[in-house]
Amino acid sequence: MNSPKYVLPAVFFILGRLLVASCEQSRGCKSIHRADFPIDKIVRRTISVNDPRFEKPVEREYLIRIPGGDSSSSPLKKLLLYFHGFQGNASDVSWKYEYNMMGRLNNMITVFPEGMSDLKLDGQLQGGYQSWNAQGSSSPTQKNCSGPLDNCYESCKKLEIECGPCAFATCHNDTLFVSTLLDYLLDTLCIATDQVFATGLSNGGFMTYELASKSPERFRAFAVVYGLPMQGSLNFSNPAIRGRSLLHIHGNNDIWVPHDGRPNLHGWLMESAENTVTEYAKIQGCHIHSPRTSWPTPYDTVRNLSCTQFTGCESADVVLCMFEGQHFYPPMVEELTWIFFQHQIDCASFILMNVIRHCALIGASYLLL
């Protein structure tokens, strides 16, 4: 009979090799052409997006921060993309919220893409109207809005897209922008490709749902903060969406993106939060007709936060959180988002659990011999 003192080291060696191999590494881990980003500093960069609908490439901007500190000792990093809201900007949200700090503490690269502001008013190109072409925001099917502006962006005019009174966003292909950006980052940085996350607020939440609909295979999970598809734009038919978890956070008194499908202040109609997450849960094989269970958090006393989770889901978590408030960022959202992302089974924790289970079984078998 072999001695445990020889068997157990061999088991740990094999499982350790599995641990290293199981984490899906980006091409940048082995590339000699690494991106030259400073450590622990937010920097602005540009990238060319080749949209065949336009005559020449479009230069798009983003902010990025590579984590330093104690967590940066591992070269393999997580990646978080954060999308600002309508009339927001990447610089503002990169400083206002705590995602950079979370990145530093958790070995996670944080990226803040910049929306396009190609709107002209009185013949002058306007700054401060950054937006995302997502979930019907540039060409919604409804025509009965009473918006305060003729929000037909120059990109929509060039493409001869009929904007209508309900349009409020650029017509640039933002999904292509994100795909181009991800390709570059994965080619030039060492990233765990199964640890890529997307989150955003308001119109940035629209964009997060757009990515869940159009390119879910590139992300592990999504977190949406008071953003919803325009009515008629909800589509979760992409089969790659299965296994991608979703957290949706919304205020119960939001008048800009109402959670219950009511028209907002300008008559824009969006899907309800309940219907949106239920449709998502259907794709994940959840028991949509069964009562949802509580998803407890450390912030359940903050603005009467209440989170519920669909049960029976086959390979993903689907959680809806409601809080008492309007269209503003409550103080616990960053932490809540990160708790949700951490909760997803990453390669390291999955293998670690299996290490413990395998060693326990091996130990028990030797006790019985």
Side-chain angles (χ1 to χ4, degrees), residues 53 64 73 94 99 166 168 171 191 195 199 213 226 238 246-247 251 256 262 314-315 318 326 357:
R53 302 177 303 165
I64 184 169
S73 57
S94 70
Y99 294 105
C166 298
F168 66 92
C171 285
I191 295 168
Q195 293 293 290
T199 184
S213 300
Y226 49 74
N238 190 328
L246 172 68
L247 169 67
W256 291 103
R262 290 177 292 114
E314 294 173 359
S315 56
V318 183
Q326 300 185 13
R357 184 166 67 250

Side-chain angles (χ1 to χ4, degrees), residues 84-124:
H84 61 74
F86 175 62
Q87 294 185 308
N89 62 79
S91 181
D92 184 38
V93 296
S94 70
W95 289 104
K96 183 182 293 184
Y97 304 129
E98 298 178 3
Y99 294 105
N100 281 313
M101 181 187 69
M102 293 179 185
R104 192 172 188 274
L105 294 175
N106 296 283
N107 200 34
M108 181 172 65
I109 299 167
T110 45
V111 176
F112 303 89
E114 190 81 81
M116 291 294 284
S117 181
D118 55 297
L119 177 68
K120 277 187 178 179
L121 297 176
D122 299 324
Q124 299 294 318

